[in-house]
Amino acid sequence: MSSNASSSLFETNDDFAMVEYGIAYFVIAAPLFPLFFVIMKIIGCTMNSLWICDFPVMTLLAVCRILIFSNVIGSKKFPLSIKVILTTIISWTLFLIIVGSITQNIYLPTPGWDYDFSVDNAETFATLEIIISFVCLLLSYIAYIFMAYLIYAKKNLISCHQSRKNEIGILFQSTFVTLYITGMIFVWHQDLLSFVSFVNMEIQRNQAILNCCLILHCYVNPVLTLVCNKTIREDCLKFLGFRKRGSVASAVLREFLASSGAFPAPSWLLAEESGY
């Protein structure tokens, strides 16, 4: 190849249309850079608000489970009070999303979203988040302990069956999930909870561990439900085809005993009804 041909690679292009396209692209894309960061903060605010919403919903489900087990409410139709509480939770979540999107009080440090305390009232919302989280965790834990007690009491009434696997499973699952999320919140909100500042989050290893915990927390409760709940575990295995579907005899027997009311249901049917 001649030297003239090789040097032509470095010569400017005389196609002015490409230059015009480049200038137009830059003019259009330049305003999108700040818009991109605004959209990212809105997404972060939405994710953080849904994280907060998860705690009262979890508490409400735990309370509803007790009420259903105690035959106070039905499993197919909830009373007006439950609907009002659920509507209030959804309204509060939408309020957090709107306020956060307007004030841009969320930013993305490592390893996850956090409040930008340079924004007005950001510390107030962070404090409210911690209060809501801990109160809901405590109420949910108490509700599951009470649920285990109800199963224990009902078993003692209908039979002399002394297996406590169901109650132990509920207590283990609720205790592990509560401690897991509580510890994660303590480490995450070190700016407001100074007594856990011994965990240095400036170290990348600690950031990676917390990030893994944030990802895994979505799977902790479902996995423990499969491990501790025999009925749900067997239903999942049947759905996946690892076990053959059983006959409808147990369902018919359960319906007959429930409709007659003359005889107490066996303990193994009670375990199926309670979900454990």
Side-chain angles (χ1 to χ4, degrees), residues 148 151-169 266-268 270-271:
I151 296 176
Y152 169 80
K154 196 166 186 178
K155 279 184 177 180
N156 286 343
L157 287 176
I158 65 174
S159 70
C160 59
H161 184 62
Q162 297 299 322
S163 177
R164 301 303 174 202
K165 292 182 180 180
N166 302 330
E167 298 90 316
I168 294 174
S267 59
W268 58 273
L270 174 63

Side-chain angles (χ1 to χ4, degrees), residues 202-243:
E202 298 297 329
I203 301 176
Q204 291 186 351
R205 181 183 66 253
N206 295 339
Q207 295 176 5
I209 293 174
L210 180 58
N211 193 28
C212 291
C213 292
L214 289 172
I215 296 173
L216 292 176
H217 96 277
C218 301
Y219 307 97
V220 170
N221 199 35
V223 170
L224 287 179
T225 300
L226 291 175
V227 172
C228 301
N229 193 315
K230 182 179 179 181
T231 303
I232 294 179
R233 183 170 64 251
E234 290 181 349
D235 289 342
C236 290
L237 292 175
K238 291 176 183 178
F239 178 78
L240 295 175
F242 292 104
R243 291 187 182 180

